[in-house]
Amino acid sequence: MNQPFSPTVRRRRLARELRRMREHHGLQLSIAAKEASIPQSTLSNIESAEARRIKPRDIDALADLYGAAPDVRTALQELAQESKEKGWWSKYKDVFGSNALPDFEVEASMMRMYQCQVIPGLLQTPAYAEAIFRGGGTLSDEEVQRNVSARIKRQHVLSRHKPLHLWAVIDEAALHRLPSSREIMREQLQHLLNMAMHHNIDIQVLPFSAGMHAALSGSFVMLDFPSELDPSIVYTETSTDILFVQESASLQRYVADFAHLNAAALRTTESIGFLQQSMESYE
């Protein structure tokens, strides 16, 4: 079975490549659109990765304008075609919304994250995830189960061929926030210990004793991709909004914040001991 790919990542890659080709030829967007007989608004949407339906003839016209080699033209057409596809997460639009984190996770090579309130979603057990979604008291039983199903399905990125490398810094507060029962928390902490043994997963605990730190503003996720054509991205969320940060200066701030968290947190071996003690406290 082929590994899933992200339509959004392919759309971003196509946008960057077409913009690079245009700038290489010293053409302003308006001039390129005119010479390729493409509406300027259409070319603008393509280059900003906002166009979800890209016509093959528009790609051909741009390839002609930029003098693209046959293999480059084919690659551009493949990216345009793949940008139209839908991933499994599209069936959970009611859960993820239009800006779906799994859309980026499926092609990411590394995820660096800080989680301050709960155990990270990719490391949650079904029972723990269910307790989280029931916690607010606003979801029906059916909605809870759909959210749990979607969350567990996301975890496949950790066991796929060429799995995602997850580096998670978890605040000690998450280890003390009790779900609906102590048994669920004990099971969750045992699962964390099991996952920490995987070669592609690094877990660090940020203890209360670390004091003030670089991420007091809240949780965040950084995604890195294997291709240089796919720049890193940061994902943050609130109860009402989702934000994807792509600007270079902002990304560097998150990189610096994560480096500070890494330095302040317990080493991975120390974190395993901390998790073991925490689990025993729930027995």
PDB file of all heavy atoms in Angstrom, residues 155-173:
ATOM      1  N   GLN A 155      -2.626   8.401  14.730  1.00  0.00           N
ATOM      2  CA  GLN A 155      -1.436   7.798  15.314  1.00  0.00           C
ATOM      3  C   GLN A 155      -0.712   6.845  14.365  1.00  0.00           C
ATOM      4  O   GLN A 155       0.418   6.423  14.647  1.00  0.00           O
ATOM      5  CB  GLN A 155      -1.806   7.080  16.615  1.00  0.00           C
ATOM      6  CG  GLN A 155      -2.352   8.025  17.683  1.00  0.00           C
ATOM      7  CD  GLN A 155      -2.827   7.303  18.933  1.00  0.00           C
ATOM      8  OE1 GLN A 155      -2.734   6.078  19.037  1.00  0.00           O
ATOM      9  NE2 GLN A 155      -3.343   8.061  19.895  1.00  0.00           N
ATOM     10  N   HIS A 156      -1.322   6.521  13.238  1.00  0.00           N
ATOM     11  CA  HIS A 156      -0.692   5.627  12.263  1.00  0.00           C
ATOM     12  C   HIS A 156       0.613   6.196  11.731  1.00  0.00           C
ATOM     13  O   HIS A 156       1.474   5.445  11.250  1.00  0.00           O
ATOM     14  CB  HIS A 156      -1.654   5.349  11.107  1.00  0.00           C
ATOM     15  CG  HIS A 156      -2.859   4.546  11.508  1.00  0.00           C
ATOM     16  ND1 HIS A 156      -3.933   4.311  10.664  1.00  0.00           N
ATOM     17  CD2 HIS A 156      -3.165   3.924  12.673  1.00  0.00           C
ATOM     18  CE1 HIS A 156      -4.849   3.591  11.294  1.00  0.00           C
ATOM     19  NE2 HIS A 156      -4.407   3.346  12.510  1.00  0.00           N
ATOM     20  N   VAL A 157       0.784   7.524  11.805  1.00  0.00           N
ATOM     21  CA  VAL A 157       2.021   8.119  11.284  1.00  0.00           C
ATOM     22  C   VAL A 157       3.240   7.668  12.096  1.00  0.00           C
ATOM     23  O   VAL A 157       4.367   7.758  11.606  1.00  0.00           O
ATOM     24  CB  VAL A 157       1.950   9.667  11.284  1.00  0.00           C
ATOM     25  CG1 VAL A 157       0.875  10.145  10.329  1.00  0.00           C
ATOM     26  CG2 VAL A 157       1.740  10.221  12.687  1.00  0.00           C
ATOM     27  N   LEU A 158       3.021   7.166  13.301  1.00  0.00           N
ATOM     28  CA  LEU A 158       4.132   6.734  14.145  1.00  0.00           C
ATOM     29  C   LEU A 158       4.585   5.307  13.840  1.00  0.00           C
ATOM     30  O   LEU A 158       5.675   4.895  14.259  1.00  0.00           O
ATOM     31  CB  LEU A 158       3.748   6.830  15.629  1.00  0.00           C
ATOM     32  CG  LEU A 158       3.440   8.235  16.149  1.00  0.00           C
ATOM     33  CD1 LEU A 158       2.974   8.167  17.599  1.00  0.00           C
ATOM     34  CD2 LEU A 158       4.659   9.142  16.021  1.00  0.00           C
ATOM     35  N   SER A 159       3.763   4.548  13.117  1.00  0.00           N
ATOM     36  CA  SER A 159       4.096   3.152  12.832  1.00  0.00           C
ATOM     37  C   SER A 159       4.152   2.841  11.343  1.00  0.00           C
ATOM     38  O   SER A 159       4.325   1.684  10.960  1.00  0.00           O
ATOM     39  CB  SER A 159       3.070   2.229  13.508  1.00  0.00           C
ATOM     40  OG  SER A 159       1.756   2.528  13.062  1.00  0.00           O
ATOM     41  N   ARG A 160       4.022   3.861  10.497  1.00  0.00           N
ATOM     42  CA  ARG A 160       4.061   3.657   9.051  1.00  0.00           C
ATOM     43  C   ARG A 160       5.486   3.326   8.595  1.00  0.00           C
ATOM     44  O   ARG A 160       6.437   3.382   9.377  1.00  0.00           O
ATOM     45  CB  ARG A 160       3.589   4.936   8.346  1.00  0.00           C
ATOM     46  CG  ARG A 160       4.612   6.055   8.453  1.00  0.00           C
ATOM     47  CD  ARG A 160       4.090   7.396   8.011  1.00  0.00           C
ATOM     48  NE  ARG A 160       5.167   8.400   8.079  1.00  0.00           N
ATOM     49  CZ  ARG A 160       4.974   9.713   8.061  1.00  0.00           C
ATOM     50  NH1 ARG A 160       3.738  10.187   7.987  1.00  0.00           N
ATOM     51  NH2 ARG A 160       5.993  10.538   8.114  1.00  0.00           N
ATOM     52  N   HIS A 161       5.618   3.000   7.312  1.00  0.00           N
ATOM     53  CA  HIS A 161       6.942   2.879   6.709  1.00  0.00           C
ATOM     54  C   HIS A 161       7.584   4.269   6.741  1.00  0.00           C
ATOM     55  O   HIS A 161       6.946   5.254   6.393  1.00  0.00           O
ATOM     56  CB  HIS A 161       6.806   2.394   5.267  1.00  0.00           C
ATOM     57  CG  HIS A 161       8.107   2.321   4.531  1.00  0.00           C
ATOM     58  ND1 HIS A 161       9.134   1.489   4.922  1.00  0.00           N
ATOM     59  CD2 HIS A 161       8.558   2.988   3.428  1.00  0.00           C
ATOM     60  CE1 HIS A 161      10.153   1.632   4.104  1.00  0.00           C
ATOM     61  NE2 HIS A 161       9.831   2.535   3.185  1.00  0.00           N
ATOM     62  N   LYS A 162       8.831   4.355   7.193  1.00  0.00           N
ATOM     63  CA  LYS A 162       9.487   5.639   7.424  1.00  0.00           C
ATOM     64  C   LYS A 162       8.618   6.486   8.362  1.00  0.00           C
ATOM     65  O   LYS A 162       8.056   7.505   7.974  1.00  0.00           O
ATOM     66  CB  LYS A 162       9.745   6.386   6.119  1.00  0.00           C
ATOM     67  CG  LYS A 162      10.735   5.693   5.193  1.00  0.00           C
ATOM     68  CD  LYS A 162      11.013   6.528   3.945  1.00  0.00           C
ATOM     69  CE  LYS A 162      12.018   5.833   3.048  1.00  0.00           C
ATOM     70  NZ  LYS A 162      12.288   6.623   1.815  1.00  0.00           N
ATOM     71  N   PRO A 163       8.510   6.059   9.606  1.00  0.00           N
ATOM     72  CA  PRO A 163       7.596   6.730  10.549  1.00  0.00           C
ATOM     73  C   PRO A 163       8.029   8.146  10.900  1.00  0.00           C
ATOM     74  O   PRO A 163       9.203   8.511  10.810  1.00  0.00           O
ATOM     75  CB  PRO A 163       7.653   5.812  11.780  1.00  0.00           C
ATOM     76  CG  PRO A 163       9.014   5.195  11.717  1.00  0.00           C
ATOM     77  CD  PRO A 163       9.250   4.958  10.250  1.00  0.00           C
ATOM     78  N   LEU A 164       7.046   8.905  11.308  1.00  0.00           N
ATOM     79  CA  LEU A 164       7.288  10.254  11.808  1.00  0.00           C
ATOM     80  C   LEU A 164       8.157  10.177  13.062  1.00  0.00           C
ATOM     81  O   LEU A 164       7.942   9.330  13.927  1.00  0.00           O
ATOM     82  CB  LEU A 164       5.945  10.907  12.147  1.00  0.00           C
ATOM     83  CG  LEU A 164       5.981  12.275  12.840  1.00  0.00           C
ATOM     84  CD1 LEU A 164       6.366  13.354  11.840  1.00  0.00           C
ATOM     85  CD2 LEU A 164       4.614  12.593  13.446  1.00  0.00           C
ATOM     86  N   HIS A 165       9.148  11.055  13.166  1.00  0.00           N
ATOM     87  CA  HIS A 165       9.940  11.165  14.391  1.00  0.00           C
ATOM     88  C   HIS A 165       9.253  12.185  15.295  1.00  0.00           C
ATOM     89  O   HIS A 165       9.173  13.364  14.949  1.00  0.00           O
ATOM     90  CB  HIS A 165      11.369  11.612  14.066  1.00  0.00           C
ATOM     91  CG  HIS A 165      12.244  11.706  15.286  1.00  0.00           C
ATOM     92  ND1 HIS A 165      13.555  12.118  15.227  1.00  0.00           N
ATOM     93  CD2 HIS A 165      11.993  11.443  16.603  1.00  0.00           C
ATOM     94  CE1 HIS A 165      14.079  12.108  16.442  1.00  0.00           C
ATOM     95  NE2 HIS A 165      13.149  11.711  17.296  1.00  0.00           N
ATOM     96  N   LEU A 166       8.746  11.718  16.406  1.00  0.00           N
ATOM     97  CA  LEU A 166       8.036  12.576  17.356  1.00  0.00           C
ATOM     98  C   LEU A 166       8.937  12.906  18.529  1.00  0.00           C
ATOM     99  O   LEU A 166       9.488  12.019  19.188  1.00  0.00           O
ATOM    100  CB  LEU A 166       6.776  11.870  17.859  1.00  0.00           C
ATOM    101  CG  LEU A 166       5.984  12.589  18.961  1.00  0.00           C
ATOM    102  CD1 LEU A 166       5.456  13.922  18.463  1.00  0.00           C
ATOM    103  CD2 LEU A 166       4.849  11.712  19.465  1.00  0.00           C
ATOM    104  N   TRP A 167       9.099  14.197  18.783  1.00  0.00           N
ATOM    105  CA  TRP A 167       9.882  14.680  19.927  1.00  0.00           C
ATOM    106  C   TRP A 167       8.937  15.539  20.753  1.00  0.00           C
ATOM    107  O   TRP A 167       8.602  16.656  20.383  1.00  0.00           O
ATOM    108  CB  TRP A 167      11.078  15.486  19.438  1.00  0.00           C
ATOM    109  CG  TRP A 167      12.034  15.914  20.504  1.00  0.00           C
ATOM    110  CD1 TRP A 167      11.925  15.755  21.850  1.00  0.00           C
ATOM    111  CD2 TRP A 167      13.287  16.586  20.281  1.00  0.00           C
ATOM    112  NE1 TRP A 167      13.014  16.282  22.493  1.00  0.00           N
ATOM    113  CE2 TRP A 167      13.872  16.795  21.556  1.00  0.00           C
ATOM    114  CE3 TRP A 167      13.951  17.044  19.146  1.00  0.00           C
ATOM    115  CZ2 TRP A 167      15.099  17.448  21.705  1.00  0.00           C
ATOM    116  CZ3 TRP A 167      15.164  17.687  19.308  1.00  0.00           C
ATOM    117  CH2 TRP A 167      15.735  17.874  20.571  1.00  0.00           C
ATOM    118  N   ALA A 168       8.483  14.974  21.860  1.00  0.00           N
ATOM    119  CA  ALA A 168       7.455  15.635  22.668  1.00  0.00           C
ATOM    120  C   ALA A 168       7.992  16.056  24.024  1.00  0.00           C
ATOM    121  O   ALA A 168       8.568  15.252  24.758  1.00  0.00           O
ATOM    122  CB  ALA A 168       6.266  14.699  22.858  1.00  0.00           C
ATOM    123  N   VAL A 169       7.806  17.333  24.354  1.00  0.00           N
ATOM    124  CA  VAL A 169       8.073  17.846  25.690  1.00  0.00           C
ATOM    125  C   VAL A 169       6.714  18.022  26.365  1.00  0.00           C
ATOM    126  O   VAL A 169       5.873  18.788  25.888  1.00  0.00           O
ATOM    127  CB  VAL A 169       8.842  19.185  25.649  1.00  0.00           C
ATOM    128  CG1 VAL A 169       9.011  19.734  27.069  1.00  0.00           C
ATOM    129  CG2 VAL A 169      10.206  18.999  24.987  1.00  0.00           C
ATOM    130  N   ILE A 170       6.501  17.293  27.446  1.00  0.00           N
ATOM    131  CA  ILE A 170       5.206  17.277  28.121  1.00  0.00           C
ATOM    132  C   ILE A 170       5.341  17.921  29.499  1.00  0.00           C
ATOM    133  O   ILE A 170       6.191  17.523  30.300  1.00  0.00           O
ATOM    134  CB  ILE A 170       4.682  15.837  28.281  1.00  0.00           C
ATOM    135  CG1 ILE A 170       4.653  15.121  26.920  1.00  0.00           C
ATOM    136  CG2 ILE A 170       3.299  15.833  28.925  1.00  0.00           C
ATOM    137  CD1 ILE A 170       4.319  13.643  27.029  1.00  0.00           C
ATOM    138  N   ASP A 171       4.520  18.917  29.755  1.00  0.00           N
ATOM    139  CA  ASP A 171       4.549  19.582  31.052  1.00  0.00           C
ATOM    140  C   ASP A 171       4.083  18.622  32.144  1.00  0.00           C
ATOM    141  O   ASP A 171       3.175  17.807  31.927  1.00  0.00           O
ATOM    142  CB  ASP A 171       3.651  20.818  31.020  1.00  0.00           C
ATOM    143  CG  ASP A 171       3.977  21.792  32.140  1.00  0.00           C
ATOM    144  OD1 ASP A 171       3.627  21.497  33.303  1.00  0.00           O
ATOM    145  OD2 ASP A 171       4.590  22.838  31.856  1.00  0.00           O
ATOM    146  N   GLU A 172       4.688  18.728  33.305  1.00  0.00           N
ATOM    147  CA  GLU A 172       4.300  17.876  34.432  1.00  0.00           C
ATOM    148  C   GLU A 172       2.813  18.020  34.759  1.00  0.00           C
ATOM    149  O   GLU A 172       2.175  17.075  35.242  1.00  0.00           O
ATOM    150  CB  GLU A 172       5.140  18.214  35.663  1.00  0.00           C
ATOM    151  CG  GLU A 172       4.831  17.325  36.856  1.00  0.00           C
ATOM    152  CD  GLU A 172       5.656  17.653  38.092  1.00  0.00           C
ATOM    153  OE1 GLU A 172       6.650  18.413  37.976  1.00  0.00           O
ATOM    154  OE2 GLU A 172       5.311  17.149  39.190  1.00  0.00           O
ATOM    155  N   ALA A 173       2.252  19.194  34.478  1.00  0.00           N
ATOM    156  CA  ALA A 173       0.821  19.414  34.771  1.00  0.00           C
ATOM    157  C   ALA A 173      -0.056  18.379  34.086  1.00  0.00           C
ATOM    158  O   ALA A 173      -1.081  17.952  34.642  1.00  0.00           O
ATOM    159  CB  ALA A 173       0.426  20.825  34.330  1.00  0.00           C
TER     160      ALA A 173
END
